[in-house]
């Protein structure tokens, strides 16, 4: 049943993504707010497919921690779900993504039209400058910025070194850094065709004020909160946590 649902989901997702991607691209002549409205319509359809075709729902913990001003979101990255789901939870936002993704037909074109922050990862320190320069511009325009500190999708229970790019942006722009943990990978695994029904939990931590803090300090605080919260959301993925609870 999960295979059949996933197949139907893929077909329907393609059917709605292609025309909306083209519409958003053509809407480049309109104000960017109009392009975000089109993205919002597509997102509503995508999330409806997740709920009614895949049986995949979500809940949010910590909504009260969302700042009133544009912020830098430092999120765990486990699947493709959060690249859409976070848009339904936070105010209008942009992601930091690989420049090569802009070449994907329809979807990549739409990314470019709404001014996602595209970087060349091979550029080394220049990549960080790209994040800071473009990120400050987006924050100043009123848009939030999502950065995945680990740089790529990570399997549930695993982790990689948190990179400080998002924290550097928060310090440079004077914007709060908001840590986010979730367990989407439990149901929508990395590169997995078959998705499973269930309830995704997205947990939003207290915003980190960059005033008086270095990028390294902000990164450490975000990593500590996110990894601690992951152990609460998915204790079965962390044997040390399970043992501590049992003891």
């Amino acid at each position: 049943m999960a295979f059949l649902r996933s197949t139907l989901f893929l077909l329907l997702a393609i059917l709605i993504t292609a025309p909306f991607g083209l519409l958003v691209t053509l809407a480049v002549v309109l104000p960017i707010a109009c392009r975000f409205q089109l993205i919002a319509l597509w997102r509503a359809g995508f999330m409806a497919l997740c709920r009614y075709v895949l049986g995949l729902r979500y809940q949010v913990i910590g909504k009260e921690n969302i700042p009133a001003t544009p912020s830098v979101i430092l999120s765990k990255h486990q699947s493709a779900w959060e690249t859409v789901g976070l848009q339904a939870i936070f105010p209008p936002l942009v992601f930091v993504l690989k420049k090569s993704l802009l070449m994907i037909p329809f979807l990549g074109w739409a990314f470019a039209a709404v001014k996602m922050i595209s970087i060349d990862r091979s550029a080394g320190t220049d990549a960080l400058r790209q994040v800071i320069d473009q990120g400050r511009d987006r924050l100043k325009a009123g848009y939030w910025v999502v950065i995945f500190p680990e740089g790529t999708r990570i399997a549930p229970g695993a982790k990689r070194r948190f990179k400080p790019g998002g924290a550097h942006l928060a310090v440079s722009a004077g914007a709060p850094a908001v840590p986010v943990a979730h367990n989407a990978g439990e149901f929508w695994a990395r590169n997995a065709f078959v998705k499973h029904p269930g309830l995704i939990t997205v947990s939003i931590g207290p915003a980190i004020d960059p005033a008086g803090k270095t990028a390294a300090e902000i990164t450490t605080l975000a990593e500590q909160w996110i990894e601690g919260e992951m152990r609460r959301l998915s204790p079965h993925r962390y044997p040390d946590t399970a043992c501590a609870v049992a003891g």
Side-chain angles (χ1 to χ4, degrees):
M1 180 60 72
F3 179 83
L4 293 176
R5 284 187 172 194
S6 298
T7 301
L8 179 59
F9 171 81
L10 177 61
L11 293 174
L12 294 176
I14 291 174
L15 284 176
I16 67 170
T17 299
F20 268 101
L22 183 58
L23 281 173
V24 173
T25 304
L26 294 176
V28 71
V29 297
L30 301 175
I32 192 170
C34 295
R35 291 171 246 164
F36 269 98
Q37 289 174 357
L38 287 172
I39 290 290
L41 289 174
W42 170 83
R43 181 181 67 245
F46 185 92
M47 297 301 285
L49 292 180
C50 287
R51 182 179 181 89
Y52 297 110
V53 177
L54 294 178
L56 193 55
R57 299 169 293 114
Y58 74 94
Q59 63 178 356
V60 181
I61 299 172
K63 280 187 177 181
E64 67 279 3
N65 291 324
I66 299 178
T69 57
S71 305
V72 179
I73 301 168
L74 304 178
S75 174
K76 195 72 175 177
H77 194 19
Q78 293 186 341
S79 73
W81 181 88
E82 58 267 19
T83 62
V84 180
L86 292 179
Q87 298 179 50
I89 298 169
F90 289 93
L93 51 79
V94 297
F95 289 85
V96 173
L97 45 79
K98 295 182 296 183
K99 184 173 291 185
S100 59
L101 294 179
L102 300 182
M103 303 303 294
I104 299 175
F106 303 112
L107 189 60
W109 304 341
F111 287 160
V114 293
K115 295 187 176 181
M116 295 290 179
I117 298 174
S118 58
I119 62 170
D120 179 2
R121 287 184 176 177
S122 65
T125 55
D126 284 343
L128 176 59
R129 175 51 55 188
Q130 293 170 31
V131 170
I132 293 175
D133 290 345
Q134 295 182 58
R136 291 183 63 175
D137 177 72
R138 304 303 188 273
L139 289 166
K140 186 177 180 180
Y143 297 99
W144 294 48
V145 177
V146 179
I147 296 179
F148 300 117
E150 290 169 288
T152 188
R153 287 171 290 180
I154 304 296
K159 74 178 294 294
R160 293 183 65 175
R161 181 180 70 85
F162 275 48
K163 300 176 182 178
H168 277 292
L169 172 58
V171 171
S172 178
V178 183
V180 175
H182 62 83
N183 61 350
E186 299 285 354
F187 313 98
W188 185 322
R190 176 183 180 179
N191 297 328
F193 176 77
V194 176
K195 288 80 173 172
H196 300 279
L199 179 64
I200 294 172
T201 298
V202 178
S203 184
I204 303 170
I208 302 170
D209 185 349
K213 297 183 181 67
T214 65
E217 290 171 335
I218 293 174
T219 301
T220 297
L221 289 172
E223 180 176 3
Q224 290 175 342
W225 188 89
I226 290 172
E227 291 304 318
E229 187 67 359
M230 289 306 304
R231 283 165 168 74
R232 193 183 72 81
L233 296 179
S234 302
H236 59 290
R237 298 289 183 177
Y238 302 89
D240 58 326
T241 302
C243 291
V245 173

